[in-house]
């Protein structure tokens, strides 16, 4: 069965803008590998003097077997973040728009 899924994320504890750009580069690779590269937007932002990376799906993704895909995507997301910024913390938030009605 397929479901519509949206997600957003924040990556904090980033040393500087160069490291934030490295995180974006890694996450773009992940999104490309997952086949959703053109469906996720990302940006570097500043909050209280610290750099962070934020992102979200542009529109809901149709995912088959989401009960398998979501946990694997979370693991991959954490791994790609740590590749670029070992001290960084990434948090994914899932949304299921069909459940809002």
């Amino acid at each position: 069965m397929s479901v519509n899924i949206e997600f957003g994320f924040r990556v904090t504890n980033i040393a500087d803008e160069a490291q934030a750009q490295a995180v974006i580069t890694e996450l773009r690779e992940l999104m490309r590998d997952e086949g959703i590269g053109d469906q996720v937007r990302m940006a570097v932002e500043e909050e209280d003097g610290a750099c962070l990376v934020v992102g979200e799906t542009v529109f809901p993704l149709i995912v088959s077997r989401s009960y398998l895909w979501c946990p694997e995507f979370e693991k991959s997301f954490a791994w790609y973040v740590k590749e670029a910024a070992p001290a960084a913390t990434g948090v994914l938030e899932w949304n299921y728009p069909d459940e809002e009605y």
Side-chain angles (χ1 to χ4, degrees), residues 24-44:
I24 286 181
T25 298
E26 287 292 322
L27 291 177
R28 280 194 180 130
E29 183 178 333
L30 169 62
M31 302 309 165
R32 187 196 72 234
D33 291 350
E34 291 292 334
I36 58 174
D38 60 343
Q39 300 168 34
V40 179
R41 67 176 148 224
M42 293 178 250
V44 176

Side-chain angles (χ1 to χ4, degrees), residues 11-23 44-53 81 84-89:
V11 181
T12 57
N13 297 329
I14 296 173
D16 54 26
E17 185 157 351
Q19 193 173 57
Q21 289 299 332
V23 169
V44 176
E45 293 186 356
E46 187 176 316
E47 186 175 278
D48 298 326
C51 283
L52 60 126
V53 173
V81 166
T89 303

